[in-house]
Amino acid sequence: MTAKRLQNITESATLRISNLASELKSQGKDIISFSLGEPDFTTPGHIIDAAKASLDRGETHYTPSPGIPELRRAIAEKLKNDNNIEAKAGNIIVTPGAKQAIFEVTLSILQEGDEAILFDPAWVSYDPCVKLSGARTVWAATDRDNGFSPSGLAEYITKNTKLIVVNSPCNPTGGVYGKETLKEIADLAIDNNIMVLSDEIYEKVIYDKEHISIGSFDGMQELTITVNGFSKAYAMTGWRLGYVSAPKNIYEQMLKLHSHSVSQATSFVQYAGLAALQGDQTCVADMVREFRERRDLLIKGLNELDIRCASPDGAFYAFADVSEYGNGEKVAELLLNKAFVAATPGAAFGEAGNDFIRISYATSQERIREALRRMEAVLK
């Protein structure tokens, strides 16, 4: 009695691990969670204050479906100043989270018989979104020795390819694509008239490299859909606020889906997003500085445990090769049940992740040190 479209979709692996960890925690176990991609910082005060002020003003009613005009204009300005993308407010939809934006993109572009290219490994929800649209995922290889950048992309393109998904900085690897890599993707997209979905949710969480938006390349304005949000940069995961900038023809199709499903992003949360973009950005720099320290602490500790793990250039994930101790599934299960450390098996992100686990270092340095001690006790 259930729809066939959902029968080959599995639940989110990151949320599944989180639920298992919560169950153990309810039994009194001290669980250190490395599973969810959620900053442990409190949302900056000026953003919270803006939401409270919006509530006090009685802004608890419907807004225009694509978002309040002030926020859409601020997003367009942000894309121009930060990303060199000539976006228009009239082509922007404010969504309840970046995940909703990605879902709307895939359903607006893809259909039965189409193909979408994902770089293996890739975030857990891209593939289900592609499948729900009726299309097929094509997994393209990446080079782990080059920050998991795509390798030999041209060979995966066919007459059915309608979409390439780019995620830089990348979840789960922390890889950041350089200009040369993005130029290769852009050239192939232009030559074959393929749309590119650029998920830039981690753009502000970057360390020693520069973030480059593929939508800023010549010829890519009408072929790029840029998705971003507030969850990672401003510690606003629970607020559920994202946005998408798309070419007009795609925007119009997305808006149909948006208006008939979620209607709009929450009214007072949109005003919080406006404050986030227009307020002091020191809070972002402070969080990134702390993420860098956590990253360095974790990578050093993993390597001392004979777990190979390159230092990620962005996001807050370590994609760790645990093949010295077994495959990712077995090691993640061992760590959760014996060390009470929750990490996500790399296979959840694609076949290339079979020997890996993803560790989110969005937790305190004290807890990272304790987790490393527990991991050593179990693995050694």
Side-chain angles (χ1 to χ4, degrees):
M1 298 295 291
T2 60
K4 288 184 178 180
R5 73 175 67 90
L6 291 173
Q7 290 177 3
N8 65 340
I9 304 295
T10 58
E11 66 174 322
S12 167
T14 50
L15 295 180
R16 179 175 60 84
I17 294 296
S18 178
N19 291 338
L20 290 173
S22 295
E23 184 177 335
L24 287 172
K25 191 173 182 180
S26 69
Q27 298 171 13
K29 307 299 183 183
D30 178 27
I31 303 297
I32 299 176
S33 179
F34 282 155
S35 59
L36 280 182
E38 179 173 39
D40 60 327
F41 306 105
T42 301
T43 304
H46 67 283
I47 299 174
I48 295 173
D49 290 343
K52 290 179 180 177
S54 178
L55 287 167
D56 289 340
R57 291 193 300 267
E59 290 162 341
T60 57
H61 303 282
Y62 289 132
T63 73
S65 187
I68 59 173
E70 307 96 299
L71 180 54
R72 296 170 77 199
R73 287 194 296 267
I75 291 169
E77 184 177 357
K78 181 266 177 202
L79 289 170
K80 180 178 181 179
N81 294 337
D82 291 2
N83 306 94
N84 198 26
I85 295 175
E86 292 293 333
K88 298 178 180 177
N91 287 19
I92 290 168
I93 300 176
V94 180
T95 57
K99 184 182 290 187
Q100 175 67 22
I102 292 166
F103 179 73
E104 292 179 9
V105 170
T106 54
L107 263 67
S108 298
I109 292 178
L110 300 171
Q111 58 190 349
E112 295 284 345
D114 289 343
E115 295 176 352
I117 293 178
L118 301 183
F119 302 140
D120 190 4
W123 178 54
V124 295
S125 291
Y126 295 138
D127 180 48
C129 284
V130 171
K131 288 177 179 175
L132 286 169
S133 73
R136 184 175 78 90
T137 295
V138 174
W139 291 93
T142 58
D143 182 0
R144 64 173 290 176
D145 295 324
N146 188 29
F148 288 94
S149 292
S151 176
L153 176 59
E155 66 186 80
Y156 298 95
I157 294 175
T158 73
K159 61 182 178 60
N160 296 320
T161 306
K162 295 295 188 297
L163 184 68
I164 300 172
V165 179
V166 173
N167 177 214
S168 177
C170 176
N171 174 8
T173 67
V176 175
Y177 299 159
K179 188 173 183 178
E180 183 178 336
T181 296
L182 293 172
K183 181 66 164 56
E184 178 186 357
I185 298 170
D187 287 345
L188 288 168
I190 293 169
D191 291 344
N192 295 277
N193 195 33
I194 299 170
M195 296 301 304
V196 173
L197 166 58
S198 183
D199 179 359
E200 304 184 12
I201 190 70
Y202 295 98
E203 67 160 337
K204 298 296 184 183
V205 187
I206 197 165
Y207 309 111
D208 302 311
K209 290 192 175 180
E210 174 191 10
H211 173 71
I212 302 172
S213 295
I214 195 168
S216 66
F217 284 64
D218 290 342
M220 288 300 293
Q221 191 72 28
E222 294 301 315
L223 290 175
T224 304
I225 303 159
T226 302
V227 170
N228 209 325
F230 298 80
S231 294
K232 314 303 181 181
Y234 299 101
M236 292 177 66
T237 51
W239 297 71
R240 308 311 303 137
L241 191 64
Y243 60 86
V244 55
S245 174
K248 193 67 174 178
N249 61 325
I250 295 172
Y251 163 87
E252 290 171 349
Q253 301 310 309
M254 291 181 62
L255 189 56
K256 294 177 187 178
L257 179 59
H258 186 78
S259 61
H260 285 300
S261 56
V262 295
S263 296
Q264 59 163 85
T266 302
S267 54
F268 50 88
V269 171
Q270 294 187 54
Y271 288 95
L274 183 63
L277 289 181
Q278 296 182 336
D280 187 356
Q281 301 298 300
T282 303
C283 57
V284 179
D286 290 344
M287 283 188 275
V288 173
R289 188 179 305 111
E290 174 63 21
F291 279 136
R292 180 193 292 269
E293 293 181 7
R294 295 175 182 182
R295 176 199 66 172
D296 294 345
L297 173 65
L298 176 64
I299 298 303
K300 181 176 182 291
L302 290 175
N303 288 327
E304 289 174 351
L305 289 173
D306 295 324
I307 295 175
R308 288 196 301 153
C309 188
S311 184
D313 293 311
F316 37 73
Y317 306 108
F319 205 53
D321 183 345
V322 293
S323 56
E324 182 75 17
Y325 302 101
N327 65 38
E329 293 274 0
K330 291 182 179 179
V331 172
E333 181 179 350
L334 175 67
L335 292 178
L336 180 59
N337 292 319
K338 299 298 183 181
F340 303 122
V341 172
T344 307
F349 305 94
E351 287 188 11
N354 286 339
D355 289 334
F356 294 77
I357 59 172
R358 190 197 73 170
I359 298 173
S360 170
Y361 48 89
T363 190
S364 71
Q365 294 186 44
E366 178 184 0
R367 295 295 272 173
I368 291 172
R369 290 189 183 93
E370 173 61 21
L372 289 169
R373 284 193 289 268
R374 296 185 191 181
M375 291 169 70
E376 181 178 19
V378 168
L379 297 175
K380 292 291 187 179

